[in-house]
Amino acid sequence: MNSELLSKAYNIRNFENALLDLFPKGLIKGTTHTSLGQETNAVGVISALNKDDIVVSNHRCHGHYLCHTNDYRGLLNEILGKENGVCGGIGGSQHLCFENVFYSNGILGGNSPMAAGISYALKFKKLTNIVCLFVGDGTLGQGVFYETLNLISKNKLPILIIIEDNGISQSTETKKVLPGKILNKIKSFDIEAMSLEYPDLFELNKISKKI
């Protein structure tokens, strides 16, 4: 199992490095945001989910997408703007959807209300699958995220939120613009939360399976 997790992380890393080789050649349509350095949390968390659980990601979504769908060809062709891409070449690097189990949105915090709405529908239909929402620490500066937390808590929605805190929001150090601890902000909405060191792939996967 450990070797399988490592293999997934390495495959994602190799895919992203290949994209960086293609970009200066002008082969990528628009821009692209790689998930280099964040492969372990994508693999650690998503490998603990069920296949019918729904992953909602952000602009840095490649690792999440590849781990949950294993659709390397579809994603590559999408980023290259080809018609045989997963979204016909019109979603590009940031706006993806795959078989009702994966969605991504490039707008900062824009994926949060999407995820809440999907999880509300799951609860309404009394289904057993959950939504896994990925956001970055920069999202903590977006008001819609806090509105979403309020809805999640009030309605007790079946959603797992992963905040990928790499300490920098685009080009600004998070500590310079965000007061207090992220963990405390989530707990203030009466939502159970914990902080993990995500570079440890195996520990992250082990804990994710228990949630």
Side-chain angles (χ1 to χ4, degrees):
M1 181 60 181
N2 285 355
S3 60
E4 181 181 344
L5 294 177
L6 281 175
S7 179
K8 287 182 179 180
Y10 278 120
N11 286 340
I12 293 170
R13 171 64 66 94
N14 290 334
F15 180 91
E16 299 290 56
N17 280 328
L19 285 184
L20 293 180
D21 289 338
L22 292 173
F23 192 84
K25 297 176 182 178
L27 298 175
I28 292 179
K29 304 299 182 182
T31 188
T32 189
H33 299 271
T34 70
S35 59
L36 289 173
Q38 298 180 183
E39 305 94 335
T40 53
N41 45 315
V43 174
V45 174
I46 294 174
S47 294
L49 299 176
N50 294 321
K51 291 298 182 182
D52 62 344
D53 287 333
I54 299 167
V55 174
V56 179
S57 185
N58 50 29
H59 65 287
R60 205 172 295 280
C61 60
H62 301 164
H64 308 142
Y65 179 86
L66 293 173
C67 187
H68 198 45
T69 70
N70 200 38
D71 179 33
Y72 284 78
R73 184 182 297 273
L75 178 57
L76 178 59
N77 287 330
E78 181 64 31
I79 294 172
L80 295 178
K82 295 185 177 182
E83 291 184 359
N84 59 344
V86 61
C87 295
I90 61 176
S93 174
Q94 303 179 42
H95 299 93
L96 307 173
C97 61
F98 180 87
E99 297 183 357
N100 297 322
V101 295
F102 186 94
Y103 304 91
S104 63
N105 189 314
I107 299 173
L108 181 66
N111 57 345
S112 303
M114 286 173 52
I118 295 170
S119 62
Y120 187 91
L122 295 179
K123 182 178 181 180
F124 182 80
K125 294 178 180 179
K126 297 182 180 180
L127 300 176
T128 58
N129 49 330
I130 69 167
V131 173
C132 180
L133 168 66
F134 284 89
V135 299
D137 49 299
T139 307
L140 275 293
Q142 171 58 273
V144 70
F145 181 65
Y146 297 98
E147 294 179 12
T148 301
L149 291 178
N150 188 63
L151 289 171
I152 290 171
S153 180
K154 188 64 177 177
N155 293 284
K156 301 186 184 305
L157 300 181
I159 183 168
L160 172 64
I161 303 171
I162 307 298
I163 301 176
E164 297 176 306
D165 180 11
N166 59 11
I168 188 166
S169 305
Q170 192 68 25
S171 57
T172 306
E173 287 186 83
T174 305
K175 64 182 180 181
K176 291 182 178 180
V177 295
L178 189 68
K181 294 182 178 181
I182 292 177
L183 185 65
N184 292 339
K185 296 179 188 297
I186 306 303
K187 287 184 175 180
S188 69
F189 284 87
D190 197 24
I191 295 175
E192 184 179 351
M194 67 175 69
S195 178
L196 301 174
E197 294 296 328
Y198 62 66
D200 189 333
L201 169 59
F202 308 120
E203 183 68 14
L204 178 55
N205 182 253
K206 179 180 177 181
I207 293 175
S208 297
K209 288 180 178 179
K210 294 180 180 179
I211 297 175

